[in-house]
Amino acid sequence: MSSHSPTMMHYASHKDKCLLHYQSSYGEFDMTDSSKRLKAAREKAGYASAKEAAEAMGISVPTYIQHENGIRNYPASRAQRYAKFFRTTPEFLLYNRLPKQASSVELGPQLLVIGKVEAGVWQLQADINKGFGQTFTGRPDINAPMKERFGLKVVGSGMDLVFPEGTILECLTYTQGQSLKQGQPVIIRRSMADGTCEQTVKEYFKDGEGIEWLLAKSSHPAFQAPLRLGREHGEEIEITAIVVASTRFW
């Protein structure tokens, strides 16, 4: 994750959640205790299982499970990676050492960028979500399973008047029939019969006749035409996720 400060925009209601850090005594390193602290950090970060956390980090599931179960020790370099992902410190994981003074900091979970949105580019779905692994801090007030939360990177000018190129979109998996507000940013997939698809971000609108439309606020004329949700002209257009926040790193 970039060390620069991000600018974040929210698209849902907010309620405070805080992660409290308390004073703890320093103790000698113990593999069993370090594995227990690793599990506690993973649960505090919102990951329901070791497998889910390992997959989100993009690391070997068996190796992580062995670290969490205390079967194998993990080195300082791996503790640093775990600490960054779970929003804690390597000193806590390895030595049970925390800041001496209590502090209250609002933290969100570390989410994985799994792919991109790019208007005008048609690819197989597997190629769209390939070659990414960047992590970013998600919103702390989203109550949803971690497997339904992910990031997508904006490429190109398909929605550049709202989301410039390079923006990271925080997304939640869309459920069919889920209620959407007018102007809600959504991720859509346009699929052709040959198996190729285009993954883009649009804004959702429903007209007075109940017809659902997808609009792009783009500076590029080729991307400005509205799209009708559903199947027409040999292609299927569907909503796959909703955008709940956007982050830009400077």
Side-chain angles (χ1 to χ4, degrees), residues 18 22 71 137 153 182 194 247:
C18 293
Y22 297 98
I71 297 173
T137 303
K153 186 173 184 178
Q182 297 281 66
D194 62 2
T247 301

Side-chain angles (χ1 to χ4, degrees), residues 158-192:
M159 193 74 161
D160 61 339
L161 298 182
V162 181
F163 304 122
E165 183 167 19
T167 299
I168 303 299
L169 305 177
E170 181 178 346
C171 305
L172 286 176
T173 300
Y174 174 75
T175 302
Q176 188 67 30
Q178 182 178 348
S179 177
L180 295 173
K181 296 180 179 180
Q182 297 281 66
Q184 170 70 52
V186 295
I187 305 300
I188 71 162
R189 182 169 58 223
R190 300 170 64 189
S191 303
M192 301 294 287

Side-chain angles (χ1 to χ4, degrees), residues 114-222:
I114 65 169
K116 64 181 178 179
V117 289
E118 185 174 11
V121 176
W122 294 79
Q123 296 176 285
L124 296 175
Q125 184 66 43
D127 293 329
I128 292 176
N129 297 338
K130 185 177 181 180
F132 290 85
Q134 178 182 359
T135 60
F136 67 102
T137 303
R139 289 179 53 178
D141 59 322
I142 299 295
N143 184 21
M146 293 302 300
K147 64 182 180 180
E148 296 180 5
R149 303 182 63 178
F150 57 92
L152 294 173
K153 186 173 184 178
V154 176
V155 178
S157 58
M159 193 74 161
D160 61 339
L161 298 182
V162 181
F163 304 122
E165 183 167 19
T167 299
I168 303 299
L169 305 177
E170 181 178 346
C171 305
L172 286 176
T173 300
Y174 174 75
T175 302
Q176 188 67 30
Q178 182 178 348
S179 177
L180 295 173
K181 296 180 179 180
Q182 297 281 66
Q184 170 70 52
V186 295
I187 305 300
I188 71 162
R189 182 169 58 223
R190 300 170 64 189
S191 303
M192 301 294 287
D194 62 2
T196 59
C197 58
E198 176 198 49
Q199 184 166 265
T200 60
V201 57
K202 307 286 187 186
E203 288 189 353
Y204 170 89
F205 284 94
K206 181 184 288 187
D207 66 20
E209 298 180 356
I211 300 175
E212 297 172 300
W213 296 93
L214 302 160
L215 308 180
K217 292 184 177 179
S218 172
S219 63
H220 198 303

Side-chain angles (χ1 to χ4, degrees), residues 26-55:
Y26 172 79
E28 294 298 323
F29 175 76
D30 179 84
M31 185 168 67
T32 302
D33 288 343
S34 69
S35 65
K36 290 179 180 178
R37 289 191 291 272
L38 180 59
K39 179 179 180 181
R42 184 256 300 168
E43 292 175 341
K44 176 68 75 173
Y47 291 89
S49 70
K51 180 176 182 293
E52 182 181 336
E55 290 176 343

